[in-house]
Amino acid sequence: MFVTPIVAVALAAFPVAFAQDLTNFVGTWSSGAKNVVTGAGFANPANMSFTYPLTTGVSYAFSEDGFYEVARYRFTSNGASYSKSPMDQRTDPSCAGAEPNCITGVLNWHHGTYTKETNGSLVLTPFGDGFQQIQDPCAAETNFVETYNNTELYQSWQMFYDQTDGLKLHLFQFDGSPVAPLFQVYSTPNMLPTQLLRNDTTTVDTGNALFAKNAGSRSWTTTTVSGVVSGVVVAGVASLLL
Ligand SMILES: *[C@@H]1O[C@H](CO)[C@@H](O)[C@H](O)[C@H]1NC(C)=O
Ligand SMILES: *[C@@H]1O[C@H](CO)[C@@H](O)[C@H](O)[C@H]1NC(C)=O
Ligand SMILES: *[C@@H]1O[C@H](CO)[C@@H](O)[C@H](O)[C@H]1NC(C)=O
């Protein structure tokens, strides 16, 4: 490309306008339609409640001084496509006895501290007040809330600058699978206070190896408890790793 001296001078004079720091992911990030965003609009950890976003998605926020927050809203199905939300399926006769069509809804929130490891990985260590709500219309336990306190390892991360979308962040999970591409929605972290926001005093050991390490208090919205429960919980936890 032919660059005129005047353009060259202009470029040299305003390098900041063209430079993007792709080594620092401080800010607030959100996938897809950007309806899921960390902060007060999503979760209330004090009473373990969520405000339902308009669409599913994931959001991450990182502060300069080492704090993170994660917000996720997912529907997962056993490979079947199904357009109804989990609770609407309850009243749909075609759902009855047809578990493969069932969609599980998971809302998940946690916060804590992050470290960028020398091998390029990213480790999110939770404070202990994280929680999630799982809705499974085809299970005995249709809707319940439980604590979530998993340390999350991300094998690697990468930032890009795109003319159309601006800054983008790609995170790769412990097994290398990518998180949906994240777009920067704010250059600053949109976060609840970076401290423990709820004290859990009740501990429930489900006896399930995968779940045991996250076991904590639960508030059940139905009273039925059956052997299906731990399977549902495992499915819910597993879906978050996707
Ligand atoms: C949780 O607390 C918020 C704020 O006080 C309130 O608006 C909301 O209704 C509560 N939700 C539940 C499920 O208690
Ligand atoms: C990178 O470091 C983290 C934290 O020390 C560790 O858990 C992870 O296994 C390491 N990854 C590789 C590929 O060595
Ligand atoms: C949550 O996990 C962190 C990191 O492993 C740990 O330090 C903390 O004690 C855990 N909190 C609870 C309530 O289990």
Side-chain angles (χ1 to χ4, degrees):
M1 188 182 87
F2 178 72
V3 179
T4 67
I6 286 171
V7 171
V9 166
L11 286 170
F14 303 103
V16 173
F18 300 92
Q20 293 291 342
D21 181 1
L22 301 179
T23 64
N24 185 353
F25 49 58
V26 166
T28 305
W29 306 83
S30 178
S31 70
K34 304 172 194 165
N35 285 320
V36 177
V37 179
T38 52
F42 181 76
N44 184 343
N47 64 6
M48 293 174 89
S49 69
F50 290 99
T51 303
Y52 282 66
L54 285 174
T55 57
T56 55
V58 294
S59 177
Y60 290 73
F62 300 97
S63 75
E64 195 73 58
D65 55 352
F67 295 103
Y68 81 88
E69 186 173 318
V70 173
R72 295 187 269 234
Y73 181 31
R74 303 244 163 109
F75 287 173
T76 60
S77 70
N78 301 333
S81 68
Y82 204 83
S83 58
K84 297 206 169 182
S85 76
M87 285 304 105
D88 289 346
Q89 291 175 59
R90 273 314 268 177
T91 53
D92 181 349
S94 71
C95 179
E99 281 79 0
N101 282 340
C102 278
I103 289 180
T104 303
V106 181
L107 289 134
N108 171 279
W109 177 91
H110 54 106
H111 69 167
T113 56
Y114 72 88
T115 49
K116 286 173 171 172
E117 304 295 329
T118 49
N119 67 7
S121 72
L122 170 68
V123 177
L124 309 185
T125 306
F127 284 141
D129 52 358
F131 64 108
Q132 62 185 11
Q133 180 173 0
I134 297 179
Q135 299 179 324
D136 186 342
C138 298
E141 224 64 60
T142 57
N143 186 13
F144 62 90
V145 177
E146 63 185 5
T147 57
Y148 178 91
N149 196 40
N150 278 10
T151 295
E152 295 184 354
L153 168 69
Y154 293 82
Q155 226 173 59
S156 63
W157 55 273
Q158 211 170 353
M159 275 175 71
F160 300 90
Y161 182 75
D162 182 298
Q163 292 289 346
T164 313
D165 298 319
L167 283 170
K168 291 207 287 185
L169 175 63
H170 287 191
L171 297 174
F172 297 88
Q173 298 176 94
F174 73 98
D175 60 354
S177 62
V179 171
L182 298 160
F183 306 99
Q184 190 173 72
V185 287
Y186 307 114
S187 59
T188 54
N190 194 54
M191 287 177 168
L192 290 172
T194 53
Q195 63 194 47
L196 198 64
L197 298 173
R198 185 188 67 257
N199 272 316
D200 280 317
T201 49
T202 321
T203 298
V204 176
D205 189 346
T206 63
N208 178 286
L210 178 61
F211 185 63
K213 63 178 176 173
N214 325 316
S217 66
R218 291 181 182 184
S219 52
W220 305 92
T221 55
T222 63
T223 50
T224 327
V225 176
S226 81
V228 179
V229 173
S230 54
V232 171
V233 169
V234 171
V237 171
S239 72
L240 288 170
L241 304 175
L242 295 175

Short mmCIF file of all heavy atoms in Angstrom, two decimals, residues 193-218:
data_model
loop_
_atom_site.label_atom_id
_atom_site.label_comp_id
_atom_site.label_asym_id
_atom_site.label_seq_id
_atom_site.Cartn_x
_atom_site.Cartn_y
_atom_site.Cartn_z
N PRO A 193 -19.34 -6.81 45.10
CA PRO A 193 -18.18 -6.59 45.98
C PRO A 193 -17.28 -7.84 46.02
O PRO A 193 -17.77 -8.97 46.08
CB PRO A 193 -18.83 -6.33 47.34
CG PRO A 193 -20.15 -5.73 47.00
CD PRO A 193 -20.61 -6.44 45.75
N THR A 194 -15.96 -7.61 45.94
CA THR A 194 -15.02 -8.73 45.82
C THR A 194 -14.66 -9.30 47.19
O THR A 194 -13.53 -9.20 47.66
CB THR A 194 -13.76 -8.26 45.07
OG1 THR A 194 -13.26 -7.08 45.72
CG2 THR A 194 -14.07 -7.94 43.64
N GLN A 195 -15.66 -9.88 47.82
CA GLN A 195 -15.49 -10.50 49.14
C GLN A 195 -16.58 -11.55 49.30
O GLN A 195 -17.51 -11.61 48.48
CB GLN A 195 -15.64 -9.45 50.24
CG GLN A 195 -17.04 -8.85 50.25
CD GLN A 195 -17.14 -7.58 51.09
OE1 GLN A 195 -16.31 -6.69 50.98
NE2 GLN A 195 -18.17 -7.53 51.92
N LEU A 196 -16.48 -12.37 50.34
CA LEU A 196 -17.49 -13.38 50.60
C LEU A 196 -18.83 -12.70 50.86
O LEU A 196 -18.93 -11.84 51.75
CB LEU A 196 -17.06 -14.21 51.82
CG LEU A 196 -17.72 -15.58 52.03
CD1 LEU A 196 -17.36 -16.53 50.90
CD2 LEU A 196 -17.26 -16.16 53.37
N LEU A 197 -19.87 -13.06 50.09
CA LEU A 197 -21.15 -12.37 50.20
C LEU A 197 -22.23 -13.22 50.86
O LEU A 197 -23.38 -12.80 50.97
CB LEU A 197 -21.61 -11.91 48.82
CG LEU A 197 -20.66 -10.91 48.13
CD1 LEU A 197 -21.10 -10.63 46.70
CD2 LEU A 197 -20.56 -9.62 48.92
N ARG A 198 -21.84 -14.43 51.27
CA ARG A 198 -22.81 -15.28 51.98
C ARG A 198 -22.01 -16.30 52.77
O ARG A 198 -20.99 -16.80 52.31
CB ARG A 198 -23.71 -16.02 50.98
CG ARG A 198 -24.81 -16.84 51.63
CD ARG A 198 -25.57 -17.72 50.62
NE ARG A 198 -24.74 -18.76 50.05
CZ ARG A 198 -24.20 -18.73 48.85
NH1 ARG A 198 -24.45 -17.73 48.05
NH2 ARG A 198 -23.43 -19.70 48.42
N ASN A 199 -22.44 -16.61 53.94
CA ASN A 199 -21.79 -17.66 54.73
C ASN A 199 -22.63 -18.91 54.68
O ASN A 199 -23.80 -18.89 55.01
CB ASN A 199 -21.62 -17.22 56.18
CG ASN A 199 -20.32 -16.47 56.36
OD1 ASN A 199 -19.28 -16.88 55.85
ND2 ASN A 199 -20.38 -15.37 57.09
N ASP A 200 -22.03 -20.00 54.19
CA ASP A 200 -22.76 -21.25 54.16
C ASP A 200 -22.46 -22.03 55.42
O ASP A 200 -21.31 -22.33 55.71
CB ASP A 200 -22.36 -22.07 52.93
CG ASP A 200 -23.08 -21.57 51.70
OD1 ASP A 200 -24.29 -21.31 51.82
OD2 ASP A 200 -22.45 -21.46 50.65
N THR A 201 -23.49 -22.35 56.13
CA THR A 201 -23.29 -23.08 57.39
C THR A 201 -23.70 -24.54 57.26
O THR A 201 -23.20 -25.39 57.95
CB THR A 201 -24.08 -22.43 58.54
OG1 THR A 201 -25.41 -22.21 58.09
CG2 THR A 201 -23.47 -21.11 58.93
N THR A 202 -24.62 -24.80 56.32
CA THR A 202 -25.10 -26.17 56.14
C THR A 202 -24.26 -26.89 55.10
O THR A 202 -23.94 -26.32 54.06
CB THR A 202 -26.56 -26.18 55.62
OG1 THR A 202 -27.24 -25.13 56.27
CG2 THR A 202 -27.21 -27.50 55.87
N THR A 203 -23.89 -28.09 55.38
CA THR A 203 -23.16 -28.87 54.39
C THR A 203 -23.89 -30.18 54.14
O THR A 203 -24.27 -30.87 55.08
CB THR A 203 -21.73 -29.16 54.85
OG1 THR A 203 -21.07 -27.92 55.01
CG2 THR A 203 -20.97 -29.98 53.83
N VAL A 204 -24.13 -30.47 52.88
CA VAL A 204 -24.80 -31.72 52.51
C VAL A 204 -23.82 -32.53 51.69
O VAL A 204 -23.35 -32.07 50.65
CB VAL A 204 -26.06 -31.44 51.66
CG1 VAL A 204 -26.69 -32.75 51.20
CG2 VAL A 204 -27.06 -30.60 52.43
N ASP A 205 -23.48 -33.71 52.16
CA ASP A 205 -22.61 -34.57 51.37
C ASP A 205 -23.49 -35.51 50.58
O ASP A 205 -24.20 -36.33 51.14
CB ASP A 205 -21.67 -35.36 52.29
CG ASP A 205 -20.62 -36.11 51.49
OD1 ASP A 205 -20.79 -36.24 50.26
OD2 ASP A 205 -19.65 -36.56 52.09
N THR A 206 -23.47 -35.37 49.27
CA THR A 206 -24.35 -36.20 48.44
C THR A 206 -23.79 -37.60 48.28
O THR A 206 -24.45 -38.47 47.74
CB THR A 206 -24.49 -35.59 47.03
OG1 THR A 206 -23.20 -35.61 46.42
CG2 THR A 206 -25.02 -34.19 47.10
N GLY A 207 -22.55 -37.79 48.67
CA GLY A 207 -21.94 -39.10 48.51
C GLY A 207 -21.46 -39.34 47.10
O GLY A 207 -20.92 -40.39 46.78
N ASN A 208 -21.63 -38.35 46.25
CA ASN A 208 -21.16 -38.49 44.87
C ASN A 208 -19.76 -37.90 44.76
O ASN A 208 -19.53 -36.76 45.14
CB ASN A 208 -22.14 -37.75 43.95
CG ASN A 208 -21.69 -37.81 42.50
OD1 ASN A 208 -20.76 -37.14 42.12
ND2 ASN A 208 -22.35 -38.62 41.72
N ALA A 209 -18.84 -38.69 44.23
CA ALA A 209 -17.44 -38.27 44.22
C ALA A 209 -17.25 -36.95 43.49
O ALA A 209 -16.52 -36.08 43.96
CB ALA A 209 -16.59 -39.35 43.58
N LEU A 210 -17.91 -36.80 42.34
CA LEU A 210 -17.70 -35.59 41.55
C LEU A 210 -18.29 -34.39 42.27
O LEU A 210 -17.75 -33.30 42.24
CB LEU A 210 -18.36 -35.74 40.18
CG LEU A 210 -18.28 -34.54 39.25
CD1 LEU A 210 -16.82 -34.20 38.95
CD2 LEU A 210 -19.02 -34.80 37.96
N PHE A 211 -19.43 -34.63 42.92
CA PHE A 211 -20.11 -33.51 43.53
C PHE A 211 -19.64 -33.22 44.95
O PHE A 211 -19.74 -32.10 45.42
CB PHE A 211 -21.62 -33.78 43.54
CG PHE A 211 -22.42 -32.62 44.03
CD1 PHE A 211 -22.40 -31.43 43.32
CD2 PHE A 211 -23.15 -32.69 45.20
CE1 PHE A 211 -23.12 -30.34 43.78
CE2 PHE A 211 -23.86 -31.60 45.65
CZ PHE A 211 -23.85 -30.42 44.94
N ALA A 212 -19.09 -34.24 45.60
CA ALA A 212 -18.78 -34.10 47.02
C ALA A 212 -17.93 -32.88 47.32
O ALA A 212 -18.15 -32.20 48.32
CB ALA A 212 -18.08 -35.36 47.52
N LYS A 213 -16.99 -32.58 46.45
CA LYS A 213 -16.12 -31.46 46.78
C LYS A 213 -16.83 -30.11 46.68
O LYS A 213 -16.34 -29.12 47.18
CB LYS A 213 -14.86 -31.47 45.90
CG LYS A 213 -15.13 -31.30 44.44
CD LYS A 213 -13.83 -31.29 43.65
CE LYS A 213 -14.14 -31.20 42.18
NZ LYS A 213 -13.00 -31.04 41.34
N ASN A 214 -18.00 -30.08 46.02
CA ASN A 214 -18.76 -28.82 45.98
C ASN A 214 -19.94 -28.86 46.92
O ASN A 214 -20.76 -27.96 46.89
CB ASN A 214 -19.35 -28.54 44.60
CG ASN A 214 -18.50 -29.01 43.50
OD1 ASN A 214 -17.32 -28.79 43.56
ND2 ASN A 214 -19.07 -29.65 42.51
N ALA A 215 -20.05 -29.93 47.67
CA ALA A 215 -21.27 -30.09 48.45
C ALA A 215 -21.49 -28.89 49.37
O ALA A 215 -20.57 -28.36 49.97
CB ALA A 215 -21.21 -31.35 49.28
N GLY A 216 -22.71 -28.48 49.47
CA GLY A 216 -23.01 -27.34 50.33
C GLY A 216 -24.48 -27.28 50.59
O GLY A 216 -25.20 -28.25 50.36
N SER A 217 -24.95 -26.18 51.08
CA SER A 217 -26.36 -26.09 51.40
C SER A 217 -27.20 -26.03 50.13
O SER A 217 -26.76 -25.53 49.11
CB SER A 217 -26.62 -24.84 52.24
OG SER A 217 -26.36 -23.70 51.48
N ARG A 218 -28.38 -26.57 50.21
CA ARG A 218 -29.28 -26.54 49.07
C ARG A 218 -30.64 -26.07 49.52
O ARG A 218 -31.07 -26.40 50.62
CB ARG A 218 -29.49 -27.94 48.50
CG ARG A 218 -28.30 -28.53 47.85
CD ARG A 218 -28.73 -29.88 47.35
NE ARG A 218 -27.63 -30.56 46.73
CZ ARG A 218 -27.76 -31.74 46.15
NH1 ARG A 218 -28.92 -32.33 46.12
NH2 ARG A 218 -26.73 -32.31 45.59
#
